[in-house]
Amino acid sequence: MASRKQTVGGWTAFAAVLMIFGGAMTLLEGISAIAKDNVFVTTTNYVFSFNLTGWGWIHLILGLVILLAGIALLSSGASWARVVGVILAGLSALANFLWIPHYPFWAIVVLAIDIFIIWALCAGDHRHAVAV
């Protein structure tokens, strides 16, 4: 039995490209936070008071995993990759929501990308057969 390679197109390809881009942005965000760059705002009395290095490692690991999952989704288009993509984009959205006090503009941009990823993966590529 020969295996068919599933082609990726439409919303799945859009979501995969956004995952690669969003994962790279989150990865760079993590590297910048670990390096203790001076672009971040130091907040006081914030409920989720990880230090900047802790947040950096969270974003670095999450960004790397999202980037790799986006590449896997683009190459295979498998349904498991779609599910993993939704879960990872949800985790990234949560992490960037909590990151808003440190770098508001960047966090809101990545949060919007994560929401588009979830939407595109859930919308899917529905192909309906039309009876002639």
Side-chain angles (χ1 to χ4, degrees):
M1 201 166 156
S3 65
R4 292 185 318 166
K5 184 172 180 175
Q6 188 174 0
T7 60
V8 178
W11 292 118
T12 304
F14 176 69
V17 169
L18 280 181
M19 285 176 68
I20 293 168
F21 181 70
M25 286 181 65
T26 304
L27 184 76
L28 292 173
E29 182 178 45
I31 291 171
S32 182
I34 291 170
K36 297 185 190 284
D37 202 352
N38 58 1
V39 299
F40 298 107
V41 177
T42 55
T43 57
T44 57
N45 299 327
Y46 182 51
V47 176
F48 304 102
S49 59
F50 290 139
N51 62 8
L52 194 58
T53 306
W55 276 115
W57 281 106
I58 289 170
H59 285 285
L60 179 77
I61 293 168
L62 193 59
L64 182 63
V65 173
I66 291 171
L67 179 73
L68 294 175
I71 293 170
L73 180 63
L74 191 60
S75 65
S76 73
S79 59
W80 66 265
R82 296 170 69 95
V83 172
V84 168
V86 169
I87 292 169
L88 289 174
L91 288 174
S92 177
L94 179 65
N96 280 294
F97 180 75
L98 298 175
W99 183 252
I100 287 174
H102 297 288
Y103 198 0
F105 180 71
W106 190 282
I108 290 172
V109 168
V110 177
L111 182 63
I113 289 172
D114 291 332
I115 291 169
F116 278 124
I117 290 170
I118 294 170
W119 175 78
L121 288 175
C122 291
D125 298 324
H126 302 291
R127 293 184 177 98
H128 301 289
V130 178
V132 179

